[in-house]
Amino acid sequence: MPFFDETGRPYKEALEADFTSMRLVTQRPETVRAGVSFVNSAREVAAARATASHAGIPSEAFERL
């Protein structure tokens, strides 16, 4: 799990809150699956960024996001 400093923490909290809100209001399973995919991709980029410079993050991670 990457460490979220004072700069990154608000973005992580907003992502998690928005994902939770989407799950509360959606009625379609494919919408939930798309949200899970998006959140997982964002977490993958965050984890990669915790151990590498922005140039070191695989481009595939950004493309999925």
Side-chain angles (χ1 to χ4, degrees):
M1 181 73 177
F3 173 76
F4 290 95
D5 61 10
E6 64 278 350
T7 303
R9 185 173 294 117
Y11 295 104
K12 178 188 180 299
E13 291 172 357
L15 175 69
E16 300 295 337
D18 291 343
F19 177 67
T20 301
S21 297
M22 180 272 303
R23 290 200 61 177
L24 289 172
V25 299
T26 189
Q27 296 180 2
R28 301 176 64 180
E30 56 270 17
T31 304
V32 174
R33 284 192 293 273
V36 168
S37 178
F38 177 79
V39 169
N40 287 341
S41 294
R43 289 175 180 159
E44 180 183 357
V45 169
R49 183 62 180 96
T51 59
S53 70
H54 67 280
I57 299 173
S59 61
E60 299 84 29
F62 280 113
E63 290 172 12
R64 277 192 296 280
L65 184 57

